[in-house]
Amino acid sequence: MMPEDELPLGPEAVALLPMAARVLLDGAVADLEFDYAIPPALDGVGPGSRVSVPLRNRTMTGTVLIVYPAAEAEVTKLKPLLGLLSERVMIPPALMEFGKWVSGYYCAPLESVMRAMLPEAVREEKHSEKRRLFARLLREPSAEEQAVLTKKAPKQAEVLEALKAAGEPVAAVAFSGAALKALHHKGWIEITDEPVARDPHEGETFVSTKSLALNQAQHEALVTVLEAVRHPREAKPMLLFGVTGSGKTEVYLQAAQRVLEQGRAVLVLVPEISLTPQTVERFKSRFAEMQEQVAVLHSHLSKGERFDEWHKIQRGKARIVIGARSAIFAPLEDIGLIIVDEEHEGSYKQEQPPRYQARDAAVVRARLEGCAILLGSATPSLESWHNAQRGKYALLKLPERADDAQLPLVRVIDMRTEKKRAGKGSPAILSERLRIAIDQRLTRGEQSILFLNRRGFASSVVCQACGHVVKCPHCEVAMTVHQELGRLVCHVCGFQKLAPKKCPECKDPAILLAGYGTERVEETLRKVFPTARIARVDADSMAQKHKLRDTLHAFKTGKLDLLIGTQMIAKGLHFPNVTLVGILNADMGLHIPDFRAGERTFSLLTQVAGRAGRGELMGEVVVQSFTPHHPAIQFARQHDFEGFSEQELEFRRQCGYPPYGHAVLVTVRSERENLADFALKTLHAKLVKVFPAEILLGEPAPSPLVKSHDQYRFQILARARQAKQITGPLMQCLADLKMPKEVIVTVDVDPVNLG
């Protein structure tokens, strides 16, 4: 069977040939593609259609990849498609091409990409539109009729008056069922069954806002963006590098407004779900007259909400789509602009198949869609910064804060001195300088944010007698104390157990809670500042739906004085009354075996510090560190991204790390440690023979997290100028090398975490 362009026939002859479809079946571990004949009755089948097909004795569902003409003799050998699951093509052509690129570049099964493009809520047939009965006035009663009704059937009269006042259909649940039935029988009203969208933001009010006056730098950036929107094929991807509080969001909003005025759509990506409510609020408030055309996609939606939001996009009813990384697969057509906010964030990298990097994938989708793309950050990723430095990206700069606001003053506290003051066995949580600063803000009615990227009460349980650390039996990590749960919790696999009263090894009762997390910080602050209104924002406290949105709203409206949180509050949030930010343990994540450790620390410190002084009042940042002279901390103290990037890029260049090439991480895991080790060494020996000399291939080694979910993990890292130099021979080698069933091999292209 051949695609049309390979058939040795003229176009007229080809048009007379029967059609066949290549279908990718759902749910297979490996990609299963089969060809089926298209019955004449199913003439609406095309690439991206969802179909049901026969497979042995079962009926399966799948997605059409291509449709092609075939000779009669060939088509008669094929089983026919059973039916179309939707009259509309579910995946637009450009999105289908994009999905194939993601599959090829990231070495991911195409079916896993299809799962990302067609979420479970969309695939499941049991999900459908929510429907509701509505009442609509057909004929207004005369004054005499209304008087009679008011006297004899007052409930019917009330319904007619309400419908007349509304001037539009009203949900039938608002009225008496008997009254509606009687009025419908008399022909005065009509009752219809209509679909109703499940709105994730139902009940919220968005106050309309107007465009703000731009400063010179913002205006120049906007002009460049709009020129790219007009001529996307000639334009480069744009990197908007602006210090925290410089007004990047206003540039996004005004650029989006111009795109919408042209009748095109806008896709906005944010790295964290915690940023989605604030971003949605800004866009719905700015575009108040078209709030119904804003769609949201993220993992905290219910299945019904995700079903409705996805179909709103797919049916062309949404012109603005806002979401986390998975929104890059939104079935949005006629895109004029893609915005990737906080483009440096590691959370844009998907850690499960397909292991795509949403920021990089967005650049590719923009090229395929023929639209402009704008990446924004106060601390750009070194990959994007390097692309801008060598002219591959256009660099736009916002060097000053909007409205002449000043960058906050940053103080670095040496916690080695504070540790001595706190005494042995007691964690130094609050330095004296930070305690005084918080007290001053409480006195003045200003707000403070404390940041610690570790949840729980204590980071580990340690025996003071023999040094034993209580670890997860399924992972090679210390278990974290969660006081609210009254349990130890593994933050890798989620395993829980009761905290021991004495050492499991030596039975000594002198067991110590070492380190601290957000729970312990909250407890300490409530003791030190008993009258302060305090809230904690982390994955444990914000598990309930809408809890995060409500907490941030309470903080924004001044109902809270102190906010303690993890990276959920580290970026993108705008609270004008926050004048103090405390970073409790700046060293966390700095001394790990990962070449990106310094970059991540610098970025996190700068982003957290940027939450202070965003209003009229001057901001202050207190950074607590046990290694205060580390370059990442000192450059962050000076708000000097360019100085930090120059030093860090030189280190990367000398070592051949990204952005001076691409990396591919191969991980082998098994429940049997020796089997995983042997399998990786066997693979490594094969790769040494097939890889060309320009590929830098590391030695097999245990992963930094050597055991996870009862599986032992070993890895190798390969580096080259182009990813395909590695992935081509690697995937061929894996296809030729039959691994034991107990061994799982994962390939991560452009990895963000090396653990």
Side-chain angles (χ1 to χ4, degrees):
M1 284 162 279
M2 298 178 284
E4 179 181 345
D5 57 0
E6 296 182 13
L7 287 170
L9 300 170
E12 294 180 0
V14 167
L16 297 174
L17 290 173
M19 303 299 289
R22 186 156 299 151
V23 179
L24 175 68
L25 299 186
D26 292 348
V29 176
D31 289 342
L32 288 181
E33 298 177 15
F34 294 102
D35 289 355
Y36 292 89
I38 302 178
L42 298 181
D43 57 355
V45 173
S49 293
R50 295 282 292 161
V51 293
S52 58
V53 299
L55 183 68
R56 296 190 177 92
N57 321 349
R58 296 178 296 164
T59 297
M60 302 283 289
T61 56
T63 306
V64 175
L65 299 179
I66 59 170
V67 170
Y68 60 92
E72 184 71 41
E74 292 176 314
V75 170
T76 54
K77 298 177 184 177
L78 301 176
K79 292 181 179 180
L81 297 175
L82 297 179
L84 265 172
L85 300 181
S86 172
E87 293 182 2
R88 291 178 60 90
V89 171
M90 300 290 273
I91 303 175
L95 185 58
M96 177 67 79
E97 187 179 353
F98 172 66
K100 291 177 180 178
W101 176 86
V102 170
S103 172
Y105 182 83
Y106 291 104
C107 302
L110 184 56
E111 208 284 324
S112 71
V113 180
M114 288 295 171
R115 283 200 302 271
M117 291 196 286
L118 296 166
E120 183 182 0
V122 176
R123 290 189 180 208
E124 288 181 350
E125 296 181 9
K126 65 181 181 182
H127 278 282
S128 59
E129 291 178 318
K130 182 180 179 181
R131 305 189 72 85
R132 186 177 293 170
L133 294 177
F134 283 85
R136 181 170 65 88
L137 189 65
L138 288 179
R139 179 175 69 84
E140 287 189 24
S142 63
E144 294 79 10
E145 290 172 324
Q146 185 72 32
V148 172
L149 274 178
T150 302
K151 184 176 181 180
K152 294 186 175 181
K155 288 189 176 181
Q156 294 181 33
E158 289 175 10
V159 171
L160 292 177
E161 288 176 358
L163 292 178
K164 183 179 178 181
E168 60 183 19
V170 176
V173 293
F175 308 115
S176 160
L180 289 174
K181 188 175 181 180
L183 290 171
H184 176 64
H185 182 71
K186 293 174 182 176
W188 283 351
I189 68 169
E190 178 184 42
I191 299 176
T192 56
D193 182 13
E194 299 178 17
V196 179
R198 286 158 281 215
D199 184 2
H201 302 277
E202 189 174 6
E204 292 185 62
T205 302
F206 298 97
V207 180
S208 177
T209 61
K210 302 295 183 184
S211 296
L212 304 177
L214 302 180
N215 59 32
Q216 184 63 29
Q218 287 175 306
H219 176 72
E220 291 174 1
L222 180 61
V223 168
T224 304
V225 174
L226 296 180
E227 182 63 23
V229 170
R230 283 192 291 270
H231 306 288
R233 296 295 182 187
E234 294 81 36
K236 300 175 181 177
M238 296 163 287
L239 176 62
L240 182 60
F241 168 45
V243 299
T244 55
S246 58
K248 294 185 289 295
T249 302
E250 187 61 29
V251 175
Y252 300 158
L253 289 167
Q254 295 199 23
Q257 183 173 352
R258 302 294 182 85
V259 171
L260 295 169
E261 287 170 356
Q262 296 173 14
R264 304 192 71 188
V266 178
L267 175 60
V268 184
L269 299 184
V270 292
E272 299 279 355
I273 295 170
S274 60
L275 295 182
T276 309
Q278 183 159 302
T279 305
V280 170
E281 179 186 5
R282 288 172 174 173
F283 273 83
K284 283 204 171 191
S285 297
R286 182 61 56 88
F287 305 108
E289 72 286 351
M290 52 180 296
Q291 288 183 19
E292 297 302 317
Q293 298 182 52
V294 178
V296 181
L297 290 176
H298 58 73
S299 60
H300 281 194
L301 299 179
S302 68
K303 284 189 175 182
E305 290 169 343
R306 180 176 285 272
F307 179 91
D308 287 347
E309 293 293 283
W310 192 91
H311 278 285
K312 183 162 75 170
I313 300 166
Q314 197 260 348
R315 291 166 181 165
K317 295 181 179 179
R319 294 176 59 204
I320 303 173
V321 175
I322 301 168
R325 61 175 177 263
S326 62
I328 190 60
F329 295 109
L332 190 63
E333 295 190 82
D334 196 18
I335 305 173
L337 177 64
I338 298 176
I339 297 169
V340 184
D341 192 23
E342 309 291 358
E343 64 86 33
H344 65 279
E345 272 299 315
S347 54
Y348 278 124
K349 176 69 172 179
Q350 169 78 6
E351 297 296 343
Q352 300 296 325
R355 292 178 172 82
Y356 61 92
Q357 163 51 271
R359 175 200 65 220
D360 299 342
V363 174
V364 174
R365 183 166 185 189
R367 185 179 74 238
L368 295 174
E369 296 279 359
C371 71
I373 181 166
L374 178 61
L375 315 175
S377 177
T379 55
S381 64
L382 291 183
E383 287 83 356
S384 295
W385 182 253
H386 181 63
N387 281 333
Q389 293 296 298
R390 64 193 181 107
K392 188 175 180 180
Y393 290 0
L395 180 61
L396 318 177
K397 288 188 176 183
L398 302 180
E400 307 290 339
R401 280 192 157 184
D403 299 325
D404 299 321
Q406 298 297 307
L407 286 168
L409 173 68
V410 180
R411 305 180 191 275
V412 179
I413 307 298
D414 189 341
M415 292 304 287
R416 292 171 296 185
T417 304
E418 293 291 328
K419 182 69 176 174
K420 293 176 183 176
R421 183 181 64 83
K424 187 177 180 181
S426 176
I429 296 178
L430 284 183
S431 63
E432 185 64 13
R433 183 71 192 83
L434 181 55
R435 186 195 64 77
I436 293 171
I438 295 173
D439 193 47
Q440 289 173 342
R441 268 63 186 188
L442 291 171
T443 302
R444 299 200 298 249
E446 297 166 12
Q447 293 173 302
S448 305
I449 290 177
L450 296 188
F451 171 80
L452 175 67
N453 208 20
R454 176 183 284 150
R455 56 195 174 96
F457 186 81
S459 55
S460 59
V461 178
V462 183
C463 175
Q464 297 182 75
C466 71
H468 174 75
V469 177
V470 180
K471 292 186 176 181
C472 173
H474 310 289
C475 309
E476 196 64 28
V477 294
M479 299 192 73
T480 302
V481 180
H482 283 249
Q483 196 171 54
E484 288 183 358
L485 293 173
R487 290 176 173 268
L488 301 180
V489 179
C490 174
H491 285 178
V492 175
C493 71
F495 174 76
Q496 299 183 15
K497 69 177 184 178
L498 293 173
K501 301 292 184 183
K502 53 187 177 181
C503 176
E505 287 291 310
C506 69
K507 310 305 178 185
D508 193 295
I511 201 154
L512 174 71
L513 302 183
Y516 59 94
T518 48
E519 267 190 45
R520 194 166 192 173
V521 174
E522 181 183 13
E523 180 187 80
T524 301
L525 288 172
R526 292 191 185 280
K527 290 178 181 177
V528 177
F529 307 107
T531 60
R533 298 167 296 175
I534 300 171
R536 172 166 54 91
V537 174
D538 56 28
D540 301 316
S541 61
M542 297 293 117
Q544 197 174 2
K545 190 174 182 180
H546 300 317
K547 184 71 182 295
L548 175 63
R549 182 192 72 190
D550 296 342
T551 301
L552 294 179
H553 183 265
F555 190 65
K556 183 178 181 179
T557 54
K559 296 175 182 177
L560 296 169
D561 303 310
L562 259 168
L563 201 63
I564 309 150
T566 58
Q567 62 182 8
M568 295 175 76
I569 61 167
K571 59 196 81 76
L573 301 176
H574 180 77
F575 301 116
N577 197 39
V578 172
T579 58
L580 174 68
V581 167
I583 300 172
L584 300 184
N585 190 345
D587 309 300
M588 192 176 296
L590 190 57
H591 308 294
I592 60 175
D594 190 329
F595 69 88
R596 286 194 172 91
E599 179 185 5
R600 273 197 288 264
T601 298
F602 171 85
S603 175
L604 196 55
L605 295 182
T606 304
Q607 293 287 341
V608 177
R611 301 315 104 206
R614 298 173 74 93
E616 297 178 358
L617 302 173
M618 184 67 182
E620 180 184 0
V621 180
V622 177
V623 179
Q624 299 185 167
S625 171
F626 287 94
T627 53
H629 300 296
H630 192 283
I633 294 174
Q634 287 301 317
F635 278 117
R637 179 189 179 200
Q638 301 296 330
H639 309 283
D640 185 7
F641 170 79
E642 296 192 44
F644 171 78
S645 65
E646 183 179 355
Q647 176 176 304
E648 187 71 9
L649 283 172
E650 178 58 24
F651 156 70
R652 301 274 186 93
R653 187 189 64 78
Q654 291 179 7
C655 298
Y657 285 125
Y660 297 96
H662 290 263
V664 176
L665 183 69
V666 182
T667 304
V668 173
R669 50 195 172 93
S670 173
E671 292 183 0
R672 295 164 56 191
E673 183 176 9
N674 59 345
L675 184 59
D677 186 22
F678 176 76
L680 183 66
K681 287 177 179 176
T682 303
L683 175 61
H684 180 265
K686 297 279 187 184
L687 293 176
V688 168
K689 295 178 182 178
V690 301
F691 274 174
E694 58 267 24
I695 295 179
L696 298 174
L697 182 63
E699 292 296 319
S703 298
L705 180 59
V706 69
K707 185 182 179 186
S708 171
H709 297 78
D710 286 320
Q711 293 182 324
Y712 292 92
R713 299 144 42 93
F714 293 83
Q715 64 186 39
I716 47 176
L717 185 70
R719 288 169 282 157
R721 293 289 297 174
Q722 300 293 330
K724 62 184 178 182
Q725 291 176 274
I726 304 171
T727 56
L730 170 62
M731 297 310 289
Q732 184 60 54
C733 199
L734 287 172
D736 296 339
L737 187 64
K738 301 302 180 184
M739 288 286 184
K741 289 183 179 180
E742 305 98 308
V743 171
I744 299 170
V745 181
T746 59
V747 177
D748 191 358
V749 180
D750 299 332
V752 170
N753 297 307
L754 299 184

